[in-house]
Amino acid sequence: MKTLLFLLLHNLRCHTHHSVTLPLCHYRAPAVVALTATLVLFLLSSITTGAAAAQDTSAEESTFRLLGLFMKVRVAAFQKAMAEVEDLDVASVSYETGEVTLRLRGPFRLQNDDHEKQLRALNNRVRIGTRGAFELAPPQPKPLSKRTKIEIPIKGHDCLGCSFGAYRAVYKLKGVHRVTSDFGEASLTAWIEPKVTDRETLEAELLKRKVMLADTKSE
Amino acid sequence: MTNRIPLSARLCLCACILLVIPSAKAADFFETHCVDCHNATTTEGGLNLNDLSREVDDKALFARWVKIHDRIRAREMPPESQPQPSKQERDEAVAALKRSLIEAEAQLHQADRTRVRRLTRVEYENTIRDLFGMRLQLQERLPADGEVHGFDKNSDALAMSHVHLAKYVEAADYILDLAIATQPKAPEVEKYHISPAEDGGVSLLAAFNGGAVFLRDKQPDPHHPPVVEGIQHVDRGAHKILGMYENAESVGIHRHEDESFAPRFQAFTAIYPARYRVRTSLWSYTWDKGEVKPARGTEAVRLTMVQLKGNGRHNGHPSYLIGYFDAPSIDSQFHEFEWWFNPKDCLGFNVALAPVHIYHQYKRDLNSFTGPGIACDYVEVQGPLFDSWPPPAHRQLFGELPMVEFDANSQATTYPERERPRQKVTGAKNRAQEYQGNWTVHSETPGKDARRLLAVFLPKAFRRAVSDELIDSYASRVKQRLDAGDCFELSMRYAYRAALCSPDFLYHVEPAGQLDDYALANRLSYFLWNSMPDNELTELASDGTLRKPDVLQRQVERLLKNRKSNRFVTDFCRQWLRLGDIAANDADRKLYPEASIYLQNSMVAETEAYFRELIDSDLDATHLIDSDFAMLNEKLAVHYAIDGVSGSRIRKVPVPEDSPRGGFLTQASILKVTANGTTTSPVPRGAFVTERLLGQPVDPPPPDIPAIEPDVRGATTIRELLDRHRADPNCAGCHSKLDPTGFALESFDVIGGYRERYRTIEGDEAKPERILLDPHLHVRFRLGPDVDPSYQLADGRTFADIDELKKHLIANPDPLSANVARHLTIYAAGRELGFRDRDVIARIVTAAEPGGIRSIIHQVVQSRLFHTR
């Protein structure tokens, strides 16, 4: 019952398996729809949770948005770094969606339905394990295909650090859902919510960080 | 000489002089040859013999008479223009005056022997290091010592104030904190691999400025490309997070050290005081517009020990030099050494390149820059290394007493407040090891153990036999603390701190008159090791055999062969030749772009190595002036235009026939400490050489004479300025002695480089030829007037240049030997020498024939001056 109340209050949605995500502040569905959906998803969730628990009582899986996955080569880097982290296994990483599914054990399993605490603990471990190169966030409310994709041509270095620097310039902007940045391909790609942000905003941020756009002159 | 003085005045004058000079013949000498010029009317040279008191009741008056004696003896007076006395007349007058002066000095300076003197800062630091076996840096924790006649060992310079006492207490606590073991097991040995790119300054240069570049397989690293025109790396934090700095294979640095760039390996900052093993791999290259090419020769890296303050952020932390390490062209050279780290110590790293175009000048574009670079593959620090546990410093204090764990909250006993070891420096990656708990030394019989330990420690710390009463008094302090509830460690610490702050430790305890055996052992040890005597010396003092001449000779040999004698070499040269002033001013960068810290440190190293060589090979004192060899590394060899020297190591190099080098006289260090950063002047250089190398005392300039201001524009030469100055006969007297050597040394600029023309920053004169200059230097100066090094000595001998002057100076080697003997004796005895000590110095020189420096050291130690206070 506590889980139900939690979900209702926080307007959360459940994923397949039994994974649960934390509040999505930008997701604003009408209250009735949300309530109905939540109830349905909760029932489904209860069923899948029970099935999973019957199969494996020692691990559970959760899916998150993986921040810091700005180039394809970073998938391997993430997996390598996480191999050293105890009580966490990487079940899968998708560069295309920018999501990771983690297999959780021991202290990382959901306890007392405190999802915020769970994500905080997980995120801490991921950040420490990857020395700040990656972090977790709640999954996307909508698939990327439903977002607006923009490509910003970039010139200059094909340096991993600089690609990450450009990524860091925009990935936390409001309305930005996913960013990839590959100076080797001389472009930065972002999936955005057009009502919230736009290309100009991103370009301005990049220029502020001294990232050189293909059609601008160097400073 | 005309007779212009009234008879009554002359009788009075004779009466005055006769009291000082009882010989009638001497009085006649003065009357005949002196008073006509030095009377109340004429007062030539500021001397009025009519007014000069016969009662020598102060040092200034005594010094005046000594000067009169010296000038007559040296045949400077009467001047050549006046009738000259016969040799017999002169000798008799000099002998009579000498007898009177010796007698007067005996009366005047009856108690003027070496006064009670404390340890200098250097002696204190060395003593603590030898006592505890820890290489602590303590000098900066104590107030600076004074200086008398250039020596800080002089008892007159070693005052004691309440500030000193407070600092000694602080220092004692610091020493005991580090000496006392606080855990039962030694910290485990760990190894840290550090890339220079981890330093914020280096990564900044590599990312934005082009002052550094990442290299992989001896080529620009494709993963972190060099900065080129208009394109810089973005977001250093992002690079750091990805580990690009710590995983950099090699880092090449193009920018020399300066005020705002002083890279250091802060990623390893020591927590535990101990020895650590340092390994590094270095090589050099020429960066040629984007390409890595072979270097012009072997470059060098300067490693320093940076003593971080606070949390280690920002620049400006104190540091000291560890050494220079070769970086050969393209091929990496591996270096390994062990060094003592104190808590918060980390390695500093500087490329010892001459200043090259900095990034502003090549517009942050490595594709347009050509210049030298030094690459560091890595630095590895391994430690802490202990031969035994507890370490020797702890065993010195507590022997083999066991350690036990204690309850810090105990009410019954007061235990030490243990600070948990932890890393306090930002950016350091090494962490404190697992805390082993609160441990302390335990004694089942504290009173007995305290006395036993003190009976071992106190004689060693006080450098002499210690009475039972004294040991008991310290033991009673321990008992007081034990009774008050302190644990054994705290109680003993109380006594040890008192011992380290006591006069017995802080002062040279020497009896008046003849030194006892322990005082002799101490004087010998502080002379040649600048530190406390070792067990062998103490044992010889204990059995009373040290003062035997043959034993003393063997001990001098033993001490000189020991590495600790380098402390003597360094400290003596620092004081005698003022090497401590080497960094007193920086050379003007426009006029002397080739000046660098590497060059400056090499200068000091050359002089010290040269003095070491004079001792080791027992070379005579003419080598002060000239020699057929020099002690050089590549940097100095290039500076001196001598070929065939590669690398940073100082070694013995033959001086070519046509080179003006050889001897202290033309060493860059001497030439630098006697110049300011812009111009040279024959006066200070002449004064330095006359006093320090030739051994002729120089009076300070009169207070009402303005200084000669050099013309920094280079329009007027210093010779023209001094010619005007010497037109005043009152100035001519001193300057006739000072200026000659100074003029000869005009052939050398402010950093000791040879020159035939002065440098100037104004005018349309010719640009310099670049033969002797680093081709990468940015030259902004012009060549000004020609240098004229010719002049004549006070005795009329002329010389055309420095080579001819050297020949004149070494023609009479005895004054040079006496000068060395005198300075060594002042250094050893800790006091200025008197008039009557001149005979002792003369005997030392005679006994040391043919006058090797090592022989002179032996004779100094055997002399009466060394054996008495």
Side-chain angles (χ1 to χ4, degrees):
Chain A
M1 207 47 207
K2 279 169 71 180
T3 306
L4 174 61
L5 283 171
F6 179 83
L7 293 175
L8 284 171
L9 286 169
H10 290 83
N11 198 14
L12 293 175
R13 102 186 144 87
C14 293
H15 262 222
T16 52
H17 311 298
H18 78 288
S19 59
V20 180
T21 61
L22 282 175
L24 304 170
C25 301
H26 52 273
Y27 184 63
R28 294 283 181 272
V32 177
V33 174
L35 183 61
T36 311
T38 304
L39 281 169
V40 172
L41 289 169
F42 171 70
L43 290 172
L44 284 170
S45 168
S46 303
I47 296 163
T48 52
T49 304
Q55 289 166 5
D56 178 12
T57 55
S58 64
E60 58 187 34
E61 290 188 354
S62 291
T63 298
F64 303 92
R65 198 149 58 103
L66 183 61
L67 304 180
L69 199 62
F70 61 94
M71 278 173 72
K72 208 159 193 175
V73 292
R74 298 302 293 161
V75 172
F78 176 72
Q79 286 173 324
K80 187 181 173 191
M82 293 302 292
E84 307 291 322
V85 178
E86 289 180 3
D87 298 322
L88 275 181
D89 291 329
V90 178
S92 65
V93 186
S94 167
Y95 178 69
E96 284 67 34
T97 63
E99 290 187 325
V100 60
T101 300
L102 297 175
R103 198 171 295 127
L104 316 176
R105 291 189 303 273
F108 295 115
R109 297 191 64 168
L110 184 63
Q111 291 174 351
N112 301 325
D113 296 329
D114 193 340
H115 297 273
E116 277 190 52
K117 190 175 173 187
Q118 184 197 36
L119 179 61
R120 208 163 43 239
L122 278 169
N123 205 16
N124 277 343
R125 184 57 68 93
V126 169
R127 284 174 64 91
I128 292 168
T130 61
R131 303 180 63 176
F134 294 94
E135 54 189 298
L136 300 177
Q140 297 288 352
K142 283 200 276 185
L144 287 179
S145 56
K146 299 281 175 74
R147 303 292 185 193
T148 302
K149 179 181 175 183
I150 56 171
E151 285 193 22
I152 302 174
I154 284 172
K155 68 178 181 182
H157 300 289
D158 55 350
C159 162
L160 191 72
C162 293
S163 299
F164 188 34
Y167 171 88
R168 295 209 318 166
V170 296
Y171 83 111
K172 276 192 174 172
L173 291 179
K174 219 170 190 178
V176 175
H177 296 281
R178 167 115 174 96
V179 180
T180 61
S181 164
D182 190 338
F183 279 20
E185 295 174 3
S187 71
L188 178 140
T189 306
W191 286 262
I192 62 168
E193 178 64 60
K195 289 178 185 170
V196 181
T197 191
D198 55 20
R199 170 187 286 269
E200 284 69 34
T201 306
L202 268 62
E203 287 182 348
E205 279 303 316
L206 289 168
L207 286 172
K208 207 189 288 179
R209 300 287 190 100
K210 297 190 188 292
V211 178
M212 292 172 47
L213 309 183
D215 54 352
T216 57
K217 288 186 176 178
S218 61
E219 288 186 22
Chain B
M1 196 176 282
T2 53
N3 194 344
R4 296 188 296 258
I5 303 174
L7 182 62
S8 59
R10 290 167 63 192
L11 286 172
C12 175
L13 177 63
C14 292
C16 290
I17 294 171
L18 278 173
L19 282 179
V20 178
I21 310 155
S23 161
K25 286 185 178 174
D28 287 343
F29 181 91
F30 279 88
E31 187 183 356
T32 309
H33 298 290
C34 308
V35 291
D36 277 1
C37 296
H38 299 290
N39 58 50
T41 312
T42 54
T43 57
E44 287 208 3
L47 176 65
N48 175 6
L49 282 170
N50 290 330
D51 282 350
L52 200 63
S53 173
R54 61 178 184 148
E55 293 178 12
V56 184
D57 57 357
D58 67 58
K59 286 186 177 180
L61 186 58
F62 182 80
R64 200 85 198 261
W65 278 109
V66 170
K67 190 175 177 185
I68 292 168
H69 166 274
D70 289 348
R71 298 207 70 178
I72 298 171
R73 183 169 171 268
R75 299 175 180 274
E76 292 172 11
M77 286 288 157
E80 280 182 5
S81 57
Q82 299 296 328
Q84 293 295 304
S86 68
K87 183 175 183 304
Q88 187 183 355
E89 263 186 301
R90 187 188 294 274
D91 288 349
E92 283 177 357
V94 167
L97 190 51
K98 181 181 172 185
R99 279 195 301 276
S100 301
L101 286 169
I102 289 174
E103 196 177 309
E105 189 180 47
Q107 298 289 326
L108 181 64
H109 304 155
Q110 202 162 26
D112 191 21
R113 314 311 296 169
T114 307
R115 295 194 180 90
V116 175
R117 58 188 172 125
R118 61 171 171 78
L119 303 179
T120 65
R121 292 198 303 178
V122 179
E123 289 174 339
Y124 179 91
E125 182 179 83
N126 288 335
T127 304
I128 292 293
R129 286 179 178 183
D130 291 349
L131 183 61
F132 290 102
M134 299 189 296
R135 201 177 189 283
L136 302 180
Q137 302 293 321
L138 297 169
Q139 289 187 48
E140 298 307 316
R141 293 176 174 272
L142 302 174
D145 296 322
E147 184 185 293
V148 173
H149 300 299
F151 285 91
D152 63 18
K153 286 204 172 202
N154 193 314
S155 54
D156 294 339
L158 297 168
M160 178 70 88
S161 68
H162 67 282
V163 179
H164 283 90
L165 288 174
K167 292 294 180 185
Y168 283 130
V169 172
E170 280 179 24
D173 274 329
Y174 173 74
I175 294 158
L176 293 171
D177 280 346
L178 297 182
I180 297 173
T182 58
Q183 55 188 58
K185 286 188 293 183
E188 287 181 11
V189 177
E190 294 177 324
K191 196 188 281 186
Y192 300 91
H193 191 91
I194 314 159
S195 165
E198 290 181 73
D199 176 79
V202 174
S203 63
L204 187 121
L205 295 188
F208 302 140
N209 296 331
V213 63
F214 287 9
L215 302 164
R216 191 172 290 272
D217 300 326
K218 312 281 182 184
Q219 290 299 320
D221 186 347
H223 302 302
H224 190 283
V227 171
V228 294
E229 186 182 4
I231 299 177
Q232 302 172 0
H233 289 264
V234 296
D235 194 349
R236 275 195 306 149
H239 293 69
K240 191 173 181 180
I241 287 171
L242 298 183
M244 294 181 72
Y245 297 147
E246 66 179 270
N247 296 327
E249 187 177 278
S250 306
V251 179
I253 300 178
H254 308 136
R255 183 171 171 182
H256 61 93
E257 58 210 1
D258 57 31
E259 298 83 1
S260 58
F261 178 60
R264 55 182 181 259
F265 296 107
Q266 198 164 313
F268 174 82
T269 304
I271 298 170
Y272 303 101
R275 282 182 298 112
Y276 290 77
R277 187 168 297 119
V278 179
R279 299 185 183 93
T280 186
S281 172
L282 307 167
W283 52 283
S284 59
Y285 59 92
T286 296
W287 181 269
D288 188 11
K289 296 176 180 167
E291 290 183 48
V292 174
K293 292 183 174 173
R296 55 192 172 178
T298 299
E299 299 282 1
V301 164
R302 184 167 72 108
L303 287 183
T304 55
M305 187 60 78
V306 183
Q307 301 160 297
L308 297 172
K309 300 291 178 196
N311 61 8
R313 302 183 78 176
H314 310 296
N315 283 335
H317 302 279
S319 64
Y320 66 88
L321 178 68
I322 293 175
Y324 284 86
F325 297 84
D326 284 352
S329 175
I330 302 297
D331 293 327
S332 295
Q333 181 165 341
F334 175 75
H335 302 272
E336 180 174 347
F337 61 93
E338 285 186 8
W339 204 259
W340 183 277
F341 284 61
N342 287 315
K344 287 194 178 180
D345 278 0
C346 73
L347 290 169
F349 177 93
N350 283 298
V351 294
L353 304 167
V356 294
H357 298 253
I358 57 174
Y359 54 86
H360 299 296
Q361 289 160 341
Y362 56 85
K363 296 176 182 173
R364 297 186 169 97
D365 182 6
L366 279 177
N367 279 345
S368 68
F369 168 65
T370 298
I374 293 181
C376 176
D377 298 325
Y378 63 87
V379 166
E380 199 173 83
V381 183
Q382 186 179 18
L385 307 173
F386 295 99
D387 295 330
S388 58
W389 191 266
H394 178 93
R395 291 207 305 279
Q396 180 73 256
L397 298 170
F398 295 107
E400 303 300 329
L401 287 176
M403 295 188 77
V404 294
E405 196 160 13
F406 67 85
D407 175 10
N409 300 317
S410 166
Q411 299 296 317
T413 307
T414 307
Y415 287 105
E417 287 180 16
R418 293 277 190 246
E419 190 184 359
R420 232 178 147 108
R422 64 186 178 89
Q423 182 56 268
K424 297 174 183 171
V425 170
T426 307
K429 289 181 180 164
N430 59 309
R431 294 283 177 266
Q433 296 177 16
E434 190 181 353
Y435 190 52
Q436 297 176 18
N438 294 318
W439 291 75
T440 186
V441 177
H442 175 70
S443 168
E444 291 291 342
T445 53
K448 203 172 158 186
D449 282 334
R451 201 188 183 290
R452 177 177 60 80
L453 293 169
L454 287 165
V456 174
F457 179 80
L458 294 181
K460 198 162 186 185
F462 296 167
R463 288 104 58 193
R464 62 190 171 86
V466 173
S467 67
D468 287 346
E469 290 76 24
L470 190 61
I471 296 170
D472 288 339
S473 75
Y474 277 92
S476 69
R477 295 178 199 198
V478 176
K479 187 170 181 306
Q480 281 172 16
R481 296 313 311 162
L482 287 167
D483 293 345
D486 281 0
C487 70
F488 184 70
E489 180 190 319
L490 281 180
S491 304
M492 287 300 293
R493 187 187 166 111
Y494 180 73
Y496 287 136
R497 187 173 68 166
L500 292 177
C501 297
S502 73
D504 289 306
F505 178 76
L506 295 175
Y507 280 84
H508 293 281
V509 178
E510 295 177 334
Q514 187 82 4
L515 296 184
D516 62 30
D517 292 286
Y518 288 107
L520 184 62
N522 274 282
R523 186 170 274 195
L524 181 59
S525 183
Y526 280 96
F527 176 32
L528 297 180
W529 281 357
N530 221 12
S531 182
M532 60 188 289
D534 65 352
N535 287 340
E536 185 172 334
L537 265 182
T538 308
E539 282 168 16
L540 288 169
S542 172
D543 62 23
T545 54
L546 180 60
R547 66 181 59 251
K548 290 181 181 172
D550 57 329
V551 175
L552 212 44
Q553 186 172 14
R554 281 199 298 276
Q555 288 304 308
V556 169
E557 281 299 312
R558 184 176 71 86
L559 266 59
L560 284 175
K561 283 174 185 163
N562 191 295
R563 280 182 58 191
K564 286 186 197 171
S565 62
N566 286 334
R567 296 168 175 175
F568 154 64
V569 171
T570 300
D571 199 46
F572 181 67
C573 289
R574 175 179 65 84
Q575 299 185 50
W576 174 37
L577 300 174
R578 280 182 36 208
L579 294 188
D581 295 342
I582 194 78
N585 53 61
D586 291 332
D588 186 292
R589 287 185 183 177
K590 284 183 183 170
L591 285 170
Y592 301 100
E594 69 269 47
S596 68
I597 294 177
Y598 181 24
L599 180 63
Q600 184 172 293
N601 287 338
S602 300
M603 293 175 186
V604 174
E606 177 201 10
T607 301
E608 291 175 358
Y610 186 78
F611 187 61
R612 178 91 245 179
E613 178 62 20
L614 297 190
I615 295 172
D616 290 348
S617 301
D618 199 19
L619 298 174
D620 66 51
T622 61
H623 289 79
L624 269 56
I625 304 300
D626 198 11
S627 67
D628 58 1
F629 71 92
M631 306 299 288
L632 307 178
N633 61 9
E634 184 176 343
K635 189 74 181 173
L636 274 172
V638 170
H639 191 51
Y640 292 173
I642 294 174
D643 295 331
V645 182
S646 172
S648 60
R649 184 178 57 83
I650 297 278
R651 82 293 307 264
K652 193 172 178 178
V653 177
V655 173
E657 283 288 322
D658 58 348
S659 171
R661 306 293 172 172
F664 287 123
L665 190 62
T666 50
Q667 286 180 9
S669 61
I670 305 298
L671 296 161
K672 183 168 190 311
V673 298
T674 54
N676 64 34
T678 311
T679 56
T680 58
S681 169
V683 182
R685 277 188 172 168
F688 179 90
V689 172
T690 305
E691 188 174 19
R692 297 277 153 170
L693 296 181
L694 306 180
Q696 299 166 12
V698 176
D699 288 338
D704 53 345
I705 303 294
I708 300 168
E709 296 295 338
D711 180 2
V712 293
R713 296 166 304 149
T716 313
T717 65
I718 193 72
R719 179 181 290 263
E720 289 161 357
L721 290 169
L722 272 174
D723 281 345
R724 286 178 219 157
H725 186 68
R726 266 194 315 278
D728 183 344
N730 285 327
C731 303
C734 284
H735 282 277
S736 65
K737 285 167 69 176
L738 304 182
D739 295 355
T741 47
F743 274 120
L745 294 176
E746 279 296 284
S747 292
F748 302 93
D749 60 29
V750 302
I751 54 170
Y754 184 77
R755 65 184 173 190
E756 290 175 347
R757 295 178 69 180
Y758 291 98
R759 292 183 185 182
T760 175
I761 52 176
E762 290 183 0
D764 300 322
E765 287 87 349
K767 285 185 178 180
E769 290 182 42
R770 306 204 56 130
I771 298 169
L772 289 179
L773 290 172
D774 187 328
H776 299 302
L777 288 174
H778 183 53
V779 174
R780 285 176 283 182
F781 65 85
R782 296 285 184 272
L783 293 178
D786 289 342
V787 171
D788 179 3
S790 64
Y791 206 68
Q792 67 173 26
L793 293 169
D795 59 13
R797 288 179 292 170
T798 58
F799 57 84
D801 55 21
I802 186 69
D803 289 335
E804 288 188 12
L805 174 72
K806 281 181 170 182
K807 283 173 189 154
H808 289 323
L809 295 180
I810 61 176
N812 184 15
D814 277 359
L816 299 172
S817 301
N819 176 47
V820 175
R822 182 172 156 269
H823 281 106
L824 284 168
T825 307
I826 292 171
Y827 180 84
R831 69 173 176 88
E832 186 58 33
L833 299 188
F835 183 80
R836 60 191 157 153
D837 296 327
R838 291 181 175 188
D839 284 345
V840 183
I841 296 298
R843 284 198 291 276
I844 288 173
V845 172
T846 306
E849 286 293 340
I853 303 296
R854 197 183 194 89
S855 303
I856 291 175
I857 291 172
H858 274 289
Q859 292 308 320
V860 166
V861 172
Q862 301 282 356
S863 73
R864 177 178 62 77
L865 292 176
F866 192 84
H867 287 249
T868 54
R869 202 186 101 194

